[in-house]
Amino acid sequence: MKSDSLDSSTNKCLRQFSDGRSCRMSRKKGHPTLCIFHAREEQQLLESEKLAAEFASLSGKLNTITDINHVLGKVFTALAEKRISHQAAATFGYLGQLLLQSIPGVKSEVNAAVQHPGAYDAMLRHTIPFFSRFQKR
């Protein structure tokens, strides 16, 4: 009888809450430590970190239309693969639209700030390694 109670306690989820309580659900089949709910939570966290790395733009910033287009393409792919929700994709799409609409204003602001018509383009050449090859000498 002791072996039955020992086996049932070793098959419990090992997730501990902040108040010291432990989850009492059975472990998910195939997962070494967590129940189905906590394993899903863990998977979502790992997936969100992976997606964040994938959604990085070409330059590491969102200064250009190409950067924004690249990231939106990644969002499109993640939605098609059902790795993100429709709501998250719509939010990313809306933010991308706002970023695209703001680029002309940023460009004129940078150019005006330094009173040089090509200042924005020069900033991009220094920011994005690929464009530095085309820098005027």
Side-chain angles (χ1 to χ4, degrees):
M1 200 162 204
K2 285 185 179 182
S3 64
D4 288 341
S5 63
L6 182 61
D7 288 341
S8 65
S9 69
T10 59
N11 195 30
K12 297 290 183 195
C13 176
L14 298 180
R15 170 75 156 82
Q16 288 223 315
F17 300 102
S18 59
D19 63 0
R21 294 178 300 122
S22 296
C23 178
R24 294 184 289 191
M25 297 282 294
S26 295
R27 288 186 196 167
K28 177 184 175 188
K29 189 174 186 172
H31 196 286
T33 58
L34 300 174
C35 67
I36 190 168
F37 300 107
H38 292 120
R40 184 181 306 136
E41 194 176 78
E42 176 188 59
Q43 184 61 37
Q44 287 172 339
L45 180 63
L46 293 172
E47 184 67 16
S48 68
E49 291 172 358
K50 184 178 171 186
L51 280 170
E54 279 183 36
F55 285 178
S57 67
L58 297 171
S59 70
K61 299 179 173 137
L62 295 171
N63 291 339
T64 67
I65 294 168
T66 303
D67 279 340
I68 296 165
N69 188 8
H70 175 79
V71 171
L72 290 176
K74 296 288 189 175
V75 169
F76 179 85
T77 302
L79 177 63
E81 294 171 348
K82 298 183 181 191
R83 295 169 61 204
I84 62 171
S85 69
H86 288 276
Q87 183 179 7
T91 302
F92 281 124
Y94 179 67
L95 292 171
Q97 179 183 5
L98 291 175
L99 287 167
L100 288 170
Q101 290 174 344
S102 70
I103 285 178
V106 170
K107 184 175 182 176
S108 67
E109 193 174 73
V110 168
N111 288 336
V114 296
Q115 297 181 353
H116 184 270
Y120 183 78
D121 296 327
M123 178 200 61
L124 291 180
R125 282 194 298 274
H126 293 294
T127 304
I128 303 171
F130 172 77
F131 291 116
S132 64
R133 288 187 269 165
F134 301 104
Q135 186 173 5
K136 294 178 183 176
R137 296 175 199 260

